[in-house]
Amino acid sequence: MNSSEEVLDEAAAWKRLLTVRSAADAEAAGIVVSSSRTAGWRGRASSGAELLAQLYSTLCIAGPQLAFAQLGQSLDGFIATRTGDSDFVTGEEDRRHLHRLRALADAVVVGAGTAVADDPLLTVRACEGANPVRVVLDPRGRVPLDRQVFSDPSAPTLWLVAAGEGRHRSSAAAGVGGHVEVLELSGLDDFAPAQLLKVLAARGLGRVLVEGGGVTVSRFLHDGALSRLYVTVAPVLIGDGVPGLRFNGTTVMRDALRPPLRRFELGADSLFEFELGSPSA
């Protein structure tokens, strides 16, 4: 190895990862994946750059059509206290990880409950990258217009409502700016995860991050619509509150979900990446 060779730093490595959507893109960016699926960089790279390759290369190479989800929770499985306070369950490293996932997505999805309770901005701020399209699942059209996804024009927002709500909500959204589009779906069946992904894909939104909350992520997981699931666990005990993953499980332990996983340390938190495979049709 040439000791004078330039070392790839973390910032430059992240810029390269933002360009990757396929194995061919990864090869062009200098990513090398071993037979054991461990990723690294061709040539010399800093420890930060190597960690980025390990964390995100497999997601980037997975292609332009996939859904993945992220949850940050306490050790006892809660994403917020009983009052809904979630600032912040996990630490700064996990928040940076979440923003990186947003930057790698075409769209970021939240349910109405999360939009109301957390008032998230859903933009990319903790790293370099473009803002994804914000998608609000709101069948009853109950999210108020003062939420940041509607009032902030820095990223487009797609407001999905059920039949009968479209005209009323479109009229209301017209007052907050052209970045909000109301899409009326024909019925509640159209809010099923697989159908939602088809609706988004038809709009060129193939890479979808399901960010919250626990109910929405659990629905996508239970319905087999996710390719990957990221769960970050913080070393804190809340006692009770808003739960993270909850779905109708098995009565027999041997039938419980045990997908392949990888573990990473994000500061004091532990990140678990579950590889769920190809979503069911």
mmCIF file with all atom_site columns, all heavy atoms in Angstrom, residues 1-10 12-13 16 29-30 32 40-50:
data_model
loop_
_atom_site.group_PDB
_atom_site.id
_atom_site.type_symbol
_atom_site.label_atom_id
_atom_site.label_alt_id
_atom_site.label_comp_id
_atom_site.label_asym_id
_atom_site.label_entity_id
_atom_site.label_seq_id
_atom_site.pdbx_PDB_ins_code
_atom_site.Cartn_x
_atom_site.Cartn_y
_atom_site.Cartn_z
_atom_site.occupancy
_atom_site.B_iso_or_equiv
_atom_site.pdbx_formal_charge
_atom_site.auth_seq_id
_atom_site.auth_comp_id
_atom_site.auth_asym_id
_atom_site.auth_atom_id
_atom_site.pdbx_PDB_model_num
ATOM 1   N N   . MET A 1 1  ? 0.837   -1.200 0.000  1.00 0.00 ? 1  MET A N   1
ATOM 2   C CA  . MET A 1 1  ? 0.000   0.000  0.000  1.00 0.00 ? 1  MET A CA  1
ATOM 3   C C   . MET A 1 1  ? 0.872   1.250  0.000  1.00 0.00 ? 1  MET A C   1
ATOM 4   O O   . MET A 1 1  ? 1.843   1.334  0.738  1.00 0.00 ? 1  MET A O   1
ATOM 5   C CB  . MET A 1 1  ? -0.922  0.011  1.235  1.00 0.00 ? 1  MET A CB  1
ATOM 6   C CG  . MET A 1 1  ? -1.837  1.231  1.316  1.00 0.00 ? 1  MET A CG  1
ATOM 7   S SD  . MET A 1 1  ? -2.877  1.221  2.813  1.00 0.00 ? 1  MET A SD  1
ATOM 8   C CE  . MET A 1 1  ? -3.884  -0.212 2.509  1.00 0.00 ? 1  MET A CE  1
ATOM 9   N N   . ASN A 1 2  ? 0.560   2.176  -0.802 1.00 0.00 ? 2  ASN A N   1
ATOM 10  C CA  . ASN A 1 2  ? 1.311   3.413  -0.898 1.00 0.00 ? 2  ASN A CA  1
ATOM 11  C C   . ASN A 1 2  ? 0.949   4.318  0.273  1.00 0.00 ? 2  ASN A C   1
ATOM 12  O O   . ASN A 1 2  ? -0.200  4.738  0.426  1.00 0.00 ? 2  ASN A O   1
ATOM 13  C CB  . ASN A 1 2  ? 0.971   4.101  -2.219 1.00 0.00 ? 2  ASN A CB  1
ATOM 14  C CG  . ASN A 1 2  ? 1.829   5.322  -2.456 1.00 0.00 ? 2  ASN A CG  1
ATOM 15  O OD1 . ASN A 1 2  ? 2.543   5.772  -1.565 1.00 0.00 ? 2  ASN A OD1 1
ATOM 16  N ND2 . ASN A 1 2  ? 1.754   5.852  -3.667 1.00 0.00 ? 2  ASN A ND2 1
ATOM 17  N N   . SER A 1 3  ? 1.927   4.611  1.130  1.00 0.00 ? 3  SER A N   1
ATOM 18  C CA  . SER A 1 3  ? 1.654   5.406  2.332  1.00 0.00 ? 3  SER A CA  1
ATOM 19  C C   . SER A 1 3  ? 1.268   6.835  1.991  1.00 0.00 ? 3  SER A C   1
ATOM 20  O O   . SER A 1 3  ? 0.690   7.540  2.814  1.00 0.00 ? 3  SER A O   1
ATOM 21  C CB  . SER A 1 3  ? 2.891   5.410  3.244  1.00 0.00 ? 3  SER A CB  1
ATOM 22  O OG  . SER A 1 3  ? 4.008   5.954  2.562  1.00 0.00 ? 3  SER A OG  1
ATOM 23  N N   . SER A 1 4  ? 1.579   7.274  0.760  1.00 0.00 ? 4  SER A N   1
ATOM 24  C CA  . SER A 1 4  ? 1.235   8.634  0.355  1.00 0.00 ? 4  SER A CA  1
ATOM 25  C C   . SER A 1 4  ? -0.173  8.717  -0.252 1.00 0.00 ? 4  SER A C   1
ATOM 26  O O   . SER A 1 4  ? -0.623  9.795  -0.625 1.00 0.00 ? 4  SER A O   1
ATOM 27  C CB  . SER A 1 4  ? 2.270   9.162  -0.645 1.00 0.00 ? 4  SER A CB  1
ATOM 28  O OG  . SER A 1 4  ? 2.240   8.398  -1.839 1.00 0.00 ? 4  SER A OG  1
ATOM 29  N N   . GLU A 1 5  ? -0.835  7.567  -0.386 1.00 0.00 ? 5  GLU A N   1
ATOM 30  C CA  . GLU A 1 5  ? -2.181  7.543  -0.969 1.00 0.00 ? 5  GLU A CA  1
ATOM 31  C C   . GLU A 1 5  ? -3.150  8.345  -0.108 1.00 0.00 ? 5  GLU A C   1
ATOM 32  O O   . GLU A 1 5  ? -3.134  8.269  1.123  1.00 0.00 ? 5  GLU A O   1
ATOM 33  C CB  . GLU A 1 5  ? -2.667  6.093  -1.077 1.00 0.00 ? 5  GLU A CB  1
ATOM 34  C CG  . GLU A 1 5  ? -4.029  5.945  -1.729 1.00 0.00 ? 5  GLU A CG  1
ATOM 35  C CD  . GLU A 1 5  ? -4.448  4.487  -1.770 1.00 0.00 ? 5  GLU A CD  1
ATOM 36  O OE1 . GLU A 1 5  ? -3.639  3.629  -1.361 1.00 0.00 ? 5  GLU A OE1 1
ATOM 37  O OE2 . GLU A 1 5  ? -5.579  4.208  -2.194 1.00 0.00 ? 5  GLU A OE2 1
ATOM 38  N N   . GLU A 1 6  ? -3.984  9.113  -0.756 1.00 0.00 ? 6  GLU A N   1
ATOM 39  C CA  . GLU A 1 6  ? -4.943  9.952  -0.035 1.00 0.00 ? 6  GLU A CA  1
ATOM 40  C C   . GLU A 1 6  ? -5.937  9.085  0.719  1.00 0.00 ? 6  GLU A C   1
ATOM 41  O O   . GLU A 1 6  ? -6.437  8.082  0.211  1.00 0.00 ? 6  GLU A O   1
ATOM 42  C CB  . GLU A 1 6  ? -5.672  10.860 -1.017 1.00 0.00 ? 6  GLU A CB  1
ATOM 43  C CG  . GLU A 1 6  ? -6.616  11.842 -0.347 1.00 0.00 ? 6  GLU A CG  1
ATOM 44  C CD  . GLU A 1 6  ? -7.268  12.775 -1.339 1.00 0.00 ? 6  GLU A CD  1
ATOM 45  O OE1 . GLU A 1 6  ? -6.869  12.754 -2.519 1.00 0.00 ? 6  GLU A OE1 1
ATOM 46  O OE2 . GLU A 1 6  ? -8.187  13.521 -0.927 1.00 0.00 ? 6  GLU A OE2 1
ATOM 47  N N   . VAL A 1 7  ? -6.243  9.502  1.941  1.00 0.00 ? 7  VAL A N   1
ATOM 48  C CA  . VAL A 1 7  ? -7.172  8.756  2.794  1.00 0.00 ? 7  VAL A CA  1
ATOM 49  C C   . VAL A 1 7  ? -8.576  9.315  2.592  1.00 0.00 ? 7  VAL A C   1
ATOM 50  O O   . VAL A 1 7  ? -8.809  10.521 2.699  1.00 0.00 ? 7  VAL A O   1
ATOM 51  C CB  . VAL A 1 7  ? -6.770  8.857  4.279  1.00 0.00 ? 7  VAL A CB  1
ATOM 52  C CG1 . VAL A 1 7  ? -7.795  8.153  5.159  1.00 0.00 ? 7  VAL A CG1 1
ATOM 53  C CG2 . VAL A 1 7  ? -5.378  8.268  4.496  1.00 0.00 ? 7  VAL A CG2 1
ATOM 54  N N   . LEU A 1 8  ? -9.521  8.441  2.292  1.00 0.00 ? 8  LEU A N   1
ATOM 55  C CA  . LEU A 1 8  ? -10.920 8.842  2.122  1.00 0.00 ? 8  LEU A CA  1
ATOM 56  C C   . LEU A 1 8  ? -11.504 9.199  3.484  1.00 0.00 ? 8  LEU A C   1
ATOM 57  O O   . LEU A 1 8  ? -11.514 8.367  4.400  1.00 0.00 ? 8  LEU A O   1
ATOM 58  C CB  . LEU A 1 8  ? -11.711 7.700  1.485  1.00 0.00 ? 8  LEU A CB  1
ATOM 59  C CG  . LEU A 1 8  ? -13.193 7.956  1.224  1.00 0.00 ? 8  LEU A CG  1
ATOM 60  C CD1 . LEU A 1 8  ? -13.372 8.985  0.111  1.00 0.00 ? 8  LEU A CD1 1
ATOM 61  C CD2 . LEU A 1 8  ? -13.898 6.654  0.872  1.00 0.00 ? 8  LEU A CD2 1
ATOM 62  N N   . ASP A 1 9  ? -11.974 10.434 3.640  1.00 0.00 ? 9  ASP A N   1
ATOM 63  C CA  . ASP A 1 9  ? -12.527 10.817 4.936  1.00 0.00 ? 9  ASP A CA  1
ATOM 64  C C   . ASP A 1 9  ? -14.037 10.573 4.969  1.00 0.00 ? 9  ASP A C   1
ATOM 65  O O   . ASP A 1 9  ? -14.671 10.197 3.984  1.00 0.00 ? 9  ASP A O   1
ATOM 66  C CB  . ASP A 1 9  ? -12.189 12.267 5.286  1.00 0.00 ? 9  ASP A CB  1
ATOM 67  C CG  . ASP A 1 9  ? -12.802 13.282 4.331  1.00 0.00 ? 9  ASP A CG  1
ATOM 68  O OD1 . ASP A 1 9  ? -13.764 12.956 3.608  1.00 0.00 ? 9  ASP A OD1 1
ATOM 69  O OD2 . ASP A 1 9  ? -12.312 14.423 4.298  1.00 0.00 ? 9  ASP A OD2 1
ATOM 70  N N   . GLU A 1 10 ? -14.633 10.809 6.128  1.00 0.00 ? 10 GLU A N   1
ATOM 71  C CA  . GLU A 1 10 ? -16.047 10.501 6.339  1.00 0.00 ? 10 GLU A CA  1
ATOM 72  C C   . GLU A 1 10 ? -16.954 11.325 5.435  1.00 0.00 ? 10 GLU A C   1
ATOM 73  O O   . GLU A 1 10 ? -17.916 10.804 4.855  1.00 0.00 ? 10 GLU A O   1
ATOM 74  C CB  . GLU A 1 10 ? -16.398 10.736 7.811  1.00 0.00 ? 10 GLU A CB  1
ATOM 75  C CG  . GLU A 1 10 ? -17.807 10.320 8.190  1.00 0.00 ? 10 GLU A CG  1
ATOM 76  C CD  . GLU A 1 10 ? -18.037 10.390 9.688  1.00 0.00 ? 10 GLU A CD  1
ATOM 77  O OE1 . GLU A 1 10 ? -17.049 10.349 10.451 1.00 0.00 ? 10 GLU A OE1 1
ATOM 78  O OE2 . GLU A 1 10 ? -19.213 10.499 10.093 1.00 0.00 ? 10 GLU A OE2 1
ATOM 79  N N   . ALA A 1 12 ? -16.308 12.734 2.499  1.00 0.00 ? 12 ALA A N   1
ATOM 80  C CA  . ALA A 1 12 ? -16.203 12.307 1.104  1.00 0.00 ? 12 ALA A CA  1
ATOM 81  C C   . ALA A 1 12 ? -16.859 10.949 0.894  1.00 0.00 ? 12 ALA A C   1
ATOM 82  O O   . ALA A 1 12 ? -17.487 10.703 -0.146 1.00 0.00 ? 12 ALA A O   1
ATOM 83  C CB  . ALA A 1 12 ? -14.735 12.261 0.688  1.00 0.00 ? 12 ALA A CB  1
ATOM 84  N N   . ALA A 1 13 ? -16.736 10.078 1.887  1.00 0.00 ? 13 ALA A N   1
ATOM 85  C CA  . ALA A 1 13 ? -17.358 8.757  1.788  1.00 0.00 ? 13 ALA A CA  1
ATOM 86  C C   . ALA A 1 13 ? -18.879 8.878  1.727  1.00 0.00 ? 13 ALA A C   1
ATOM 87  O O   . ALA A 1 13 ? -19.539 8.176  0.951  1.00 0.00 ? 13 ALA A O   1
ATOM 88  C CB  . ALA A 1 13 ? -16.939 7.896  2.977  1.00 0.00 ? 13 ALA A CB  1
ATOM 89  N N   . ARG A 1 16 ? -20.088 9.882  -1.664 1.00 0.00 ? 16 ARG A N   1
ATOM 90  C CA  . ARG A 1 16 ? -20.084 8.747  -2.599 1.00 0.00 ? 16 ARG A CA  1
ATOM 91  C C   . ARG A 1 16 ? -21.298 7.853  -2.371 1.00 0.00 ? 16 ARG A C   1
ATOM 92  O O   . ARG A 1 16 ? -21.939 7.405  -3.339 1.00 0.00 ? 16 ARG A O   1
ATOM 93  C CB  . ARG A 1 16 ? -18.798 7.927  -2.422 1.00 0.00 ? 16 ARG A CB  1
ATOM 94  C CG  . ARG A 1 16 ? -17.538 8.627  -2.880 1.00 0.00 ? 16 ARG A CG  1
ATOM 95  C CD  . ARG A 1 16 ? -16.393 7.615  -2.922 1.00 0.00 ? 16 ARG A CD  1
ATOM 96  N NE  . ARG A 1 16 ? -15.094 8.245  -3.099 1.00 0.00 ? 16 ARG A NE  1
ATOM 97  C CZ  . ARG A 1 16 ? -13.959 7.569  -3.209 1.00 0.00 ? 16 ARG A CZ  1
ATOM 98  N NH1 . ARG A 1 16 ? -13.987 6.240  -3.162 1.00 0.00 ? 16 ARG A NH1 1
ATOM 99  N NH2 . ARG A 1 16 ? -12.812 8.191  -3.360 1.00 0.00 ? 16 ARG A NH2 1
ATOM 100 N N   . ALA A 1 29 ? -18.220 3.815  -7.186 1.00 0.00 ? 29 ALA A N   1
ATOM 101 C CA  . ALA A 1 29 ? -17.917 4.655  -6.024 1.00 0.00 ? 29 ALA A CA  1
ATOM 102 C C   . ALA A 1 29 ? -16.727 4.144  -5.221 1.00 0.00 ? 29 ALA A C   1
ATOM 103 O O   . ALA A 1 29 ? -16.250 4.832  -4.311 1.00 0.00 ? 29 ALA A O   1
ATOM 104 C CB  . ALA A 1 29 ? -19.147 4.740  -5.119 1.00 0.00 ? 29 ALA A CB  1
ATOM 105 N N   . GLY A 1 30 ? -16.248 2.943  -5.549 1.00 0.00 ? 30 GLY A N   1
ATOM 106 C CA  . GLY A 1 30 ? -15.101 2.394  -4.830 1.00 0.00 ? 30 GLY A CA  1
ATOM 107 C C   . GLY A 1 30 ? -15.467 1.521  -3.654 1.00 0.00 ? 30 GLY A C   1
ATOM 108 O O   . GLY A 1 30 ? -14.639 1.272  -2.773 1.00 0.00 ? 30 GLY A O   1
ATOM 109 N N   . VAL A 1 32 ? -16.246 -2.026 -1.970 1.00 0.00 ? 32 VAL A N   1
ATOM 110 C CA  . VAL A 1 32 ? -15.902 -3.421 -2.165 1.00 0.00 ? 32 VAL A CA  1
ATOM 111 C C   . VAL A 1 32 ? -16.689 -4.249 -1.151 1.00 0.00 ? 32 VAL A C   1
ATOM 112 O O   . VAL A 1 32 ? -16.633 -3.982 0.057  1.00 0.00 ? 32 VAL A O   1
ATOM 113 C CB  . VAL A 1 32 ? -14.392 -3.674 -1.975 1.00 0.00 ? 32 VAL A CB  1
ATOM 114 C CG1 . VAL A 1 32 ? -14.075 -5.153 -2.163 1.00 0.00 ? 32 VAL A CG1 1
ATOM 115 C CG2 . VAL A 1 32 ? -13.587 -2.827 -2.955 1.00 0.00 ? 32 VAL A CG2 1
ATOM 116 N N   . GLY A 1 40 ? -16.461 -2.355 2.390  1.00 0.00 ? 40 GLY A N   1
ATOM 117 C CA  . GLY A 1 40 ? -15.393 -1.413 2.696  1.00 0.00 ? 40 GLY A CA  1
ATOM 118 C C   . GLY A 1 40 ? -15.063 -0.623 1.453  1.00 0.00 ? 40 GLY A C   1
ATOM 119 O O   . GLY A 1 40 ? -15.742 -0.717 0.430  1.00 0.00 ? 40 GLY A O   1
ATOM 120 N N   . TRP A 1 41 ? -14.008 0.178  1.537  1.00 0.00 ? 41 TRP A N   1
ATOM 121 C CA  . TRP A 1 41 ? -13.607 1.042  0.424  1.00 0.00 ? 41 TRP A CA  1
ATOM 122 C C   . TRP A 1 41 ? -12.343 0.508  -0.245 1.00 0.00 ? 41 TRP A C   1
ATOM 123 O O   . TRP A 1 41 ? -11.448 -0.016 0.431  1.00 0.00 ? 41 TRP A O   1
ATOM 124 C CB  . TRP A 1 41 ? -13.348 2.462  0.912  1.00 0.00 ? 41 TRP A CB  1
ATOM 125 C CG  . TRP A 1 41 ? -14.560 3.109  1.493  1.00 0.00 ? 41 TRP A CG  1
ATOM 126 C CD1 . TRP A 1 41 ? -14.857 3.259  2.813  1.00 0.00 ? 41 TRP A CD1 1
ATOM 127 C CD2 . TRP A 1 41 ? -15.649 3.679  0.769  1.00 0.00 ? 41 TRP A CD2 1
ATOM 128 N NE1 . TRP A 1 41 ? -16.060 3.889  2.962  1.00 0.00 ? 41 TRP A NE1 1
ATOM 129 C CE2 . TRP A 1 41 ? -16.583 4.168  1.728  1.00 0.00 ? 41 TRP A CE2 1
ATOM 130 C CE3 . TRP A 1 41 ? -15.942 3.836  -0.587 1.00 0.00 ? 41 TRP A CE3 1
ATOM 131 C CZ2 . TRP A 1 41 ? -17.772 4.793  1.375  1.00 0.00 ? 41 TRP A CZ2 1
ATOM 132 C CZ3 . TRP A 1 41 ? -17.125 4.460  -0.959 1.00 0.00 ? 41 TRP A CZ3 1
ATOM 133 C CH2 . TRP A 1 41 ? -18.028 4.924  0.010  1.00 0.00 ? 41 TRP A CH2 1
ATOM 134 N N   . ARG A 1 42 ? -12.279 0.666  -1.539 1.00 0.00 ? 42 ARG A N   1
ATOM 135 C CA  . ARG A 1 42 ? -11.069 0.363  -2.267 1.00 0.00 ? 42 ARG A CA  1
ATOM 136 C C   . ARG A 1 42 ? -10.058 1.469  -1.970 1.00 0.00 ? 42 ARG A C   1
ATOM 137 O O   . ARG A 1 42 ? -10.328 2.644  -2.172 1.00 0.00 ? 42 ARG A O   1
ATOM 138 C CB  . ARG A 1 42 ? -11.364 0.299  -3.772 1.00 0.00 ? 42 ARG A CB  1
ATOM 139 C CG  . ARG A 1 42 ? -10.195 -0.187 -4.615 1.00 0.00 ? 42 ARG A CG  1
ATOM 140 C CD  . ARG A 1 42 ? -10.545 -0.161 -6.094 1.00 0.00 ? 42 ARG A CD  1
ATOM 141 N NE  . ARG A 1 42 ? -11.762 -0.914 -6.391 1.00 0.00 ? 42 ARG A NE  1
ATOM 142 C CZ  . ARG A 1 42 ? -12.897 -0.359 -6.780 1.00 0.00 ? 42 ARG A CZ  1
ATOM 143 N NH1 . ARG A 1 42 ? -12.985 0.952  -6.932 1.00 0.00 ? 42 ARG A NH1 1
ATOM 144 N NH2 . ARG A 1 42 ? -13.962 -1.098 -7.030 1.00 0.00 ? 42 ARG A NH2 1
ATOM 145 N N   . GLY A 1 43 ? -8.915  1.093  -1.451 1.00 0.00 ? 43 GLY A N   1
ATOM 146 C CA  . GLY A 1 43 ? -7.926  2.096  -1.071 1.00 0.00 ? 43 GLY A CA  1
ATOM 147 C C   . GLY A 1 43 ? -8.035  2.436  0.411  1.00 0.00 ? 43 GLY A C   1
ATOM 148 O O   . GLY A 1 43 ? -8.786  1.823  1.176  1.00 0.00 ? 43 GLY A O   1
ATOM 149 N N   . ARG A 1 44 ? -7.303  3.452  0.811  1.00 0.00 ? 44 ARG A N   1
ATOM 150 C CA  . ARG A 1 44 ? -7.241  3.834  2.223  1.00 0.00 ? 44 ARG A CA  1
ATOM 151 C C   . ARG A 1 44 ? -8.444  4.688  2.607  1.00 0.00 ? 44 ARG A C   1
ATOM 152 O O   . ARG A 1 44 ? -8.901  5.530  1.835  1.00 0.00 ? 44 ARG A O   1
ATOM 153 C CB  . ARG A 1 44 ? -5.956  4.609  2.507  1.00 0.00 ? 44 ARG A CB  1
ATOM 154 C CG  . ARG A 1 44 ? -4.676  3.839  2.203  1.00 0.00 ? 44 ARG A CG  1
ATOM 155 C CD  . ARG A 1 44 ? -3.458  4.699  2.467  1.00 0.00 ? 44 ARG A CD  1
ATOM 156 N NE  . ARG A 1 44 ? -3.341  5.062  3.881  1.00 0.00 ? 44 ARG A NE  1
ATOM 157 C CZ  . ARG A 1 44 ? -2.594  6.046  4.346  1.00 0.00 ? 44 ARG A CZ  1
ATOM 158 N NH1 . ARG A 1 44 ? -1.941  6.821  3.476  1.00 0.00 ? 44 ARG A NH1 1
ATOM 159 N NH2 . ARG A 1 44 ? -2.522  6.286  5.643  1.00 0.00 ? 44 ARG A NH2 1
ATOM 160 N N   . ALA A 1 45 ? -8.969  4.437  3.796  1.00 0.00 ? 45 ALA A N   1
ATOM 161 C CA  . ALA A 1 45 ? -10.129 5.175  4.279  1.00 0.00 ? 45 ALA A CA  1
ATOM 162 C C   . ALA A 1 45 ? -10.034 5.335  5.789  1.00 0.00 ? 45 ALA A C   1
ATOM 163 O O   . ALA A 1 45 ? -9.456  4.501  6.490  1.00 0.00 ? 45 ALA A O   1
ATOM 164 C CB  . ALA A 1 45 ? -11.420 4.446  3.913  1.00 0.00 ? 45 ALA A CB  1
ATOM 165 N N   . SER A 1 46 ? -10.600 6.421  6.276  1.00 0.00 ? 46 SER A N   1
ATOM 166 C CA  . SER A 1 46 ? -10.623 6.667  7.719  1.00 0.00 ? 46 SER A CA  1
ATOM 167 C C   . SER A 1 46 ? -11.592 5.698  8.388  1.00 0.00 ? 46 SER A C   1
ATOM 168 O O   . SER A 1 46 ? -12.426 5.054  7.733  1.00 0.00 ? 46 SER A O   1
ATOM 169 C CB  . SER A 1 46 ? -11.063 8.110  8.004  1.00 0.00 ? 46 SER A CB  1
ATOM 170 O OG  . SER A 1 46 ? -12.439 8.281  7.664  1.00 0.00 ? 46 SER A OG  1
ATOM 171 N N   . SER A 1 47 ? -11.500 5.607  9.700  1.00 0.00 ? 47 SER A N   1
ATOM 172 C CA  . SER A 1 47 ? -12.398 4.712  10.440 1.00 0.00 ? 47 SER A CA  1
ATOM 173 C C   . SER A 1 47 ? -13.850 5.153  10.280 1.00 0.00 ? 47 SER A C   1
ATOM 174 O O   . SER A 1 47 ? -14.755 4.309  10.185 1.00 0.00 ? 47 SER A O   1
ATOM 175 C CB  . SER A 1 47 ? -12.012 4.682  11.918 1.00 0.00 ? 47 SER A CB  1
ATOM 176 O OG  . SER A 1 47 ? -12.062 5.989  12.490 1.00 0.00 ? 47 SER A OG  1
ATOM 177 N N   . GLY A 1 48 ? -14.086 6.457  10.238 1.00 0.00 ? 48 GLY A N   1
ATOM 178 C CA  . GLY A 1 48 ? -15.445 6.963  10.039 1.00 0.00 ? 48 GLY A CA  1
ATOM 179 C C   . GLY A 1 48 ? -15.999 6.592  8.681  1.00 0.00 ? 48 GLY A C   1
ATOM 180 O O   . GLY A 1 48 ? -17.169 6.226  8.538  1.00 0.00 ? 48 GLY A O   1
ATOM 181 N N   . ALA A 1 49 ? -15.152 6.673  7.654  1.00 0.00 ? 49 ALA A N   1
ATOM 182 C CA  . ALA A 1 49 ? -15.569 6.300  6.309  1.00 0.00 ? 49 ALA A CA  1
ATOM 183 C C   . ALA A 1 49 ? -15.866 4.802  6.228  1.00 0.00 ? 49 ALA A C   1
ATOM 184 O O   . ALA A 1 49 ? -16.840 4.387  5.585  1.00 0.00 ? 49 ALA A O   1
ATOM 185 C CB  . ALA A 1 49 ? -14.487 6.675  5.307  1.00 0.00 ? 49 ALA A CB  1
ATOM 186 N N   . GLU A 1 50 ? -15.037 3.992  6.879  1.00 0.00 ? 50 GLU A N   1
ATOM 187 C CA  . GLU A 1 50 ? -15.271 2.551  6.878  1.00 0.00 ? 50 GLU A CA  1
ATOM 188 C C   . GLU A 1 50 ? -16.587 2.204  7.570  1.00 0.00 ? 50 GLU A C   1
ATOM 189 O O   . GLU A 1 50 ? -17.341 1.332  7.117  1.00 0.00 ? 50 GLU A O   1
ATOM 190 C CB  . GLU A 1 50 ? -14.109 1.821  7.556  1.00 0.00 ? 50 GLU A CB  1
ATOM 191 C CG  . GLU A 1 50 ? -12.787 1.894  6.803  1.00 0.00 ? 50 GLU A CG  1
ATOM 192 C CD  . GLU A 1 50 ? -12.792 1.073  5.517  1.00 0.00 ? 50 GLU A CD  1
ATOM 193 O OE1 . GLU A 1 50 ? -13.840 0.492  5.158  1.00 0.00 ? 50 GLU A OE1 1
ATOM 194 O OE2 . GLU A 1 50 ? -11.735 1.021  4.850  1.00 0.00 ? 50 GLU A OE2 1
#
